[in-house]
Coordinates of all heavy atoms in Angstrom, one line a residue:
G293 N -92.5 57.5 -115.9 CA -92.9 57.0 -114.6 C -91.9 57.3 -113.5 O -92.0 56.7 -112.4
L302 N -91.7 56.2 -101.5 CA -92.1 57.0 -100.3 C -93.1 56.2 -99.5 O -93.0 56.1 -98.3 CB -92.6 58.3 -100.7 CG -91.6 59.4 -101.2 CD1 -92.4 60.5 -101.8 CD2 -90.7 59.8 -100.2
T345 N -79.7 55.6 -95.4 CA -80.5 56.7 -95.9 C -80.2 56.9 -97.4 O -79.1 56.9 -97.9 CB -80.0 58.0 -95.2 OG1 -80.2 57.9 -93.8 CG2 -80.7 59.2 -95.7
L423 N -77.5 52.0 -126.2 CA -77.4 53.5 -126.0 C -76.2 53.8 -125.1 O -75.5 54.8 -125.3 CB -78.7 53.9 -125.3 CG -78.8 55.4 -124.9 CD1 -78.7 56.3 -126.1 CD2 -80.1 55.7 -124.2
L427 N -73.1 56.2 -126.2 CA -72.7 57.4 -125.4 C -71.3 57.3 -124.7 O -71.0 58.2 -123.9 CB -73.8 57.7 -124.3 CG -75.2 58.1 -124.8 CD1 -76.2 58.2 -123.7 CD2 -75.1 59.4 -125.7
P452 N -88.7 39.8 -115.4 CA -90.0 40.4 -115.7 C -91.2 39.5 -115.3 O -92.3 40.1 -115.2 CB -89.9 40.5 -117.3 CG -88.8 39.7 -117.7 CD -87.8 39.5 -116.6
L470 N -74.9 50.9 -106.2 CA -74.5 52.3 -106.3 C -73.5 52.6 -105.2 O -73.6 52.1 -104.1 CB -75.7 53.2 -106.1 CG -76.8 53.2 -107.3 CD1 -77.8 54.2 -107.1 CD2 -76.1 53.3 -108.6
A481 N -65.2 72.4 -93.8 CA -66.5 72.3 -94.5 C -66.5 73.0 -95.9 O -65.9 74.1 -96.0 CB -67.6 72.9 -93.6
S487 N -79.1 74.4 -106.0 CA -80.4 75.0 -106.3 C -80.9 75.8 -105.1 O -80.3 75.8 -104.0 CB -81.4 73.8 -106.6 OG -81.5 73.0 -105.5
W503 N -69.5 68.5 -99.3 CA -68.5 67.6 -99.8 C -67.5 67.2 -98.7 O -66.9 66.1 -98.8 CB -67.8 68.3 -100.9 CG -68.6 68.3 -102.2 CD1 -69.4 69.3 -102.5 CD2 -68.7 67.3 -103.1 NE1 -70.1 69.0 -103.7 CE2 -69.7 67.7 -104.1 CE3 -68.1 66.0 -103.3 CZ2 -70.0 67.0 -105.2 CZ3 -68.5 65.3 -104.4 CH2 -69.4 65.8 -105.3
G505 N -66.2 67.9 -94.3 CA -66.4 68.5 -93.0 C -67.8 68.4 -92.5 O -68.6 67.5 -92.9
R515 N -68.9 82.7 -98.0 CA -69.5 82.5 -99.3 C -68.6 83.0 -100.4 O -68.2 84.1 -100.5 CB -70.9 83.2 -99.4 CG -71.6 83.0 -100.7 CD -72.9 83.8 -100.8 NE -72.6 85.2 -101.0 CZ -72.5 85.8 -102.2 NH1 -72.5 85.1 -103.3 NH2 -72.2 87.1 -102.2
I516 N -68.3 82.0 -101.4 CA -67.5 82.4 -102.5 C -68.3 82.3 -103.8 O -68.8 81.2 -104.1 CB -66.2 81.4 -102.6 CG1 -65.5 81.4 -101.3 CG2 -65.3 81.9 -103.8 CD1 -64.5 80.3 -101.2
G520 N -65.4 84.0 -107.8 CA -64.3 83.9 -106.8 C -64.2 84.9 -105.7 O -63.2 85.0 -105.0
S523 N -67.2 86.5 -99.3 CA -67.9 87.4 -98.3 C -68.2 86.5 -97.1 O -68.6 85.4 -97.2 CB -69.1 88.0 -99.0 OG -70.0 87.0 -99.4
G561 N -74.1 77.9 -107.8 CA -72.7 77.8 -108.1 C -71.8 78.4 -107.1 O -70.6 78.3 -107.2
P567 N -64.1 79.5 -92.9 CA -63.3 80.7 -92.9 C -61.8 80.4 -92.8 O -60.9 81.1 -93.3 CB -63.8 81.5 -91.7 CG -65.1 81.1 -91.4 CD -65.2 79.6 -91.8
E598 N -106.3 93.9 -116.8 CA -106.4 92.5 -116.2 C -105.2 92.1 -115.3 O -105.3 91.2 -114.5 CB -106.5 91.5 -117.3 CG -107.8 91.7 -118.2 CD -107.8 90.8 -119.4 OE1 -106.9 90.0 -119.6 OE2 -108.8 90.9 -120.2
E616 N -82.1 83.8 -110.4 CA -81.4 83.3 -109.2 C -81.5 81.8 -109.1 O -80.6 81.1 -108.6 CB -82.0 83.9 -107.9 CG -81.7 85.4 -107.8 CD -82.4 85.9 -106.5 OE1 -83.1 85.2 -105.8 OE2 -82.1 87.1 -106.2
M649 N -95.4 83.4 -114.9 CA -95.6 84.8 -114.6 C -97.0 85.3 -114.8 O -97.5 86.1 -113.9 CB -94.6 85.6 -115.5 CG -93.2 85.5 -115.2 SD -92.0 86.3 -116.3 CE -92.5 88.0 -116.1
H689 N -96.0 60.0 -144.0 CA -94.6 60.2 -144.1 C -94.2 61.2 -145.2 O -93.3 62.0 -145.0 CB -93.9 58.8 -144.3 CG -92.4 59.0 -144.5 ND1 -91.6 59.5 -143.5 CD2 -91.6 58.7 -145.5 CE1 -90.3 59.5 -143.9 NE2 -90.3 59.0 -145.2
G712 N -96.2 49.5 -139.8 CA -96.2 50.5 -140.8 C -95.8 51.9 -140.4 O -95.7 52.8 -141.2
S735 N -101.0 68.0 -139.8 CA -100.7 67.2 -141.0 C -100.9 65.7 -140.7 O -101.2 64.9 -141.6 CB -99.3 67.5 -141.5 OG -99.2 68.8 -141.8
R837 N -111.0 79.2 -133.3 CA -109.8 78.5 -132.9 C -109.3 79.2 -131.6 O -109.0 80.4 -131.7 CB -108.8 78.5 -134.0 CG -107.5 77.8 -133.6 CD -106.5 77.8 -134.7 NE -105.2 77.2 -134.3 CZ -104.2 77.2 -135.1 NH1 -104.2 77.7 -136.3 NH2 -103.0 76.7 -134.6
K865 N -100.6 93.0 -133.8 CA -99.5 93.5 -134.7 C -98.6 94.4 -133.8 O -99.1 95.0 -132.9 CB -100.0 94.3 -135.9 CG -100.8 93.4 -136.9 CD -99.8 92.5 -137.6 CE -100.5 91.6 -138.6 NZ -99.5 90.6 -139.2

Side-chain angles (χ1 to χ4, degrees):
L302 290 168
T345 299
L423 179 60
L427 295 176
L470 295 185
S487 59
W503 287 93
R515 179 185 73 88
I516 306 167
S523 60
E598 298 171 1
E616 293 180 355
M649 288 175 63
H689 176 63
S735 300
R837 181 176 173 187
K865 291 294 178 181

